[in-house]
Amino acid sequence: MDILETHAYDRRKKRNMSCALFVSLLPFFLSSALYFYLWTPDSKASLMTAGVKSAPALLLAAAVLSWKGGQSVMGVAGGLLFSAVGDCCLVWPELFLHGMGAFAVAHLLYSLSFLSSRYTAYTSSFTRFLYLILTVFGGGFYIYLFPFLQKAPDSHLLTPGVGIYILLLTLMAALAFRTHHVATLLGSLSFMVSDASLALQVFNVVQPFQYGHIVVMVTYYLAQLLIAVGDVKAEENGDDFSKWKRS
């Protein structure tokens, strides 16, 4: 088999994998569409609401498990399962801390996955610069939130809890950049945008606006999708960040 035949074979293999991956993600797309179709600003907390909201993360976890097997339980699939728990908790405002704790565990599992041998680590001056930007953003955002956290009824729990959560979220994003997988790093950034939007509204930094919930959920589902796709394709693509920068 010459070079041209090998290249054509690789292209067919990647195309077939992309088609199969898209088919396995169809339940996620359908459940996400169902959530936005059913959600209204006056939706009441209920088991049905929790189930519809958490279904996309659960279906993504099932898709990752079908591709990566049980090993992903302690990685991205496990993170998606804990995210589904967090989704359920956040339906009831009184369970906000429980939900934040579930998402904190999810970020830990994502971080463990990004540190695994399936993701090749790359360190450069540009990557270190990105680490610095993420650290400054995370620390600055916590400082900005601090006075609003102090006004919350359960500030003695929220103030340190939010600080730890932001630290874990920033760590997850930094490790995502370390992998140099475009889908993974864009997913981590989308997660940060989603959580920042949610925090600004929950802690009354800004007045809830008309499409505030939509912004939070669209960026959240997009983040989970990109992280899941990045995990499935981690072994296939290698360092695609450098290619993305050159394109």
Side-chain angles (χ1 to χ4, degrees):
M1 185 178 291
D2 60 25
I3 294 177
L4 291 178
E5 290 176 334
T6 301
H7 181 64
Y9 171 78
D10 289 340
R11 289 182 61 184
R12 286 195 301 271
K13 183 179 178 182
K14 290 181 179 180
R15 184 167 59 249
N16 292 338
M17 178 186 178
S18 296
C19 291
L21 179 58
F22 177 77
V23 171
S24 69
L25 292 173
L26 282 177
F28 163 79
F29 292 124
L30 292 174
S31 61
S32 299
L34 179 64
Y35 171 78
F36 289 113
Y37 177 75
L38 294 177
W39 182 85
T40 60
D42 57 348
S43 296
K44 295 182 179 179
S46 67
L47 290 177
M48 179 180 176
T49 303
V52 172
K53 184 180 181 183
S54 62
L58 289 173
L59 292 169
L60 271 181
V64 173
L65 284 169
S66 70
W67 282 90
K68 293 302 178 183
Q71 63 176 354
S72 60
V73 172
M74 291 303 295
V76 169
L80 288 165
L81 292 174
F82 272 97
S83 294
V85 174
D87 288 333
C88 291
C89 291
L90 293 186
V91 169
W92 290 274
E94 62 271 20
L95 296 180
F96 180 83
L97 280 170
H98 299 78
M100 188 171 65
F103 279 112
V105 175
H107 293 318
L108 277 175
L109 291 174
Y110 290 154
S111 298
L112 288 175
S113 181
F114 300 158
L115 284 170
S116 69
S117 59
R118 294 193 306 104
Y119 289 86
T120 305
Y122 296 90
T123 303
S124 64
S125 57
F126 180 69
T127 307
R128 295 190 190 96
F129 177 67
L130 292 176
Y131 291 166
L132 177 62
I133 292 177
L134 288 172
T135 302
V136 170
F137 175 80
F141 189 70
Y142 179 69
I143 292 172
Y144 180 67
L145 283 181
F146 188 84
F148 297 95
L149 294 173
Q150 291 292 294
K151 298 175 184 177
D154 47 357
S155 61
H156 64 291
L157 294 175
L158 271 177
T159 302
V162 171
I164 294 171
Y165 181 84
I166 290 177
L167 176 64
L168 293 174
L169 177 61
T170 304
L171 174 64
M172 183 273 290
L175 292 176
F177 273 91
R178 179 176 175 267
T179 68
H180 281 210
H181 282 272
V182 174
T184 303
L185 64 91
L186 290 180
S188 69
L189 289 178
S190 187
F191 222 129
M192 295 185 78
V193 171
S194 177
D195 282 352
S197 301
L198 178 63
L200 291 175
Q201 296 176 68
V202 168
F203 301 128
N204 298 314
V205 180
V206 298
Q207 292 297 321
F209 49 98
Q210 184 176 2
Y211 299 106
H213 180 78
I214 301 298
V215 171
V216 171
M217 295 308 297
V218 167
T219 51
Y220 167 68
Y221 285 146
L222 177 63
Q224 300 285 34
L225 172 64
L226 290 172
I227 289 173
V229 170
D231 192 60
V232 169
K233 303 183 75 174
E235 293 175 309
E236 178 196 21
N237 287 338
D239 180 12
D240 56 2
F241 182 60
S242 58
K243 302 175 189 175
W244 178 64
K245 286 204 302 177
R246 290 196 298 268
S247 62

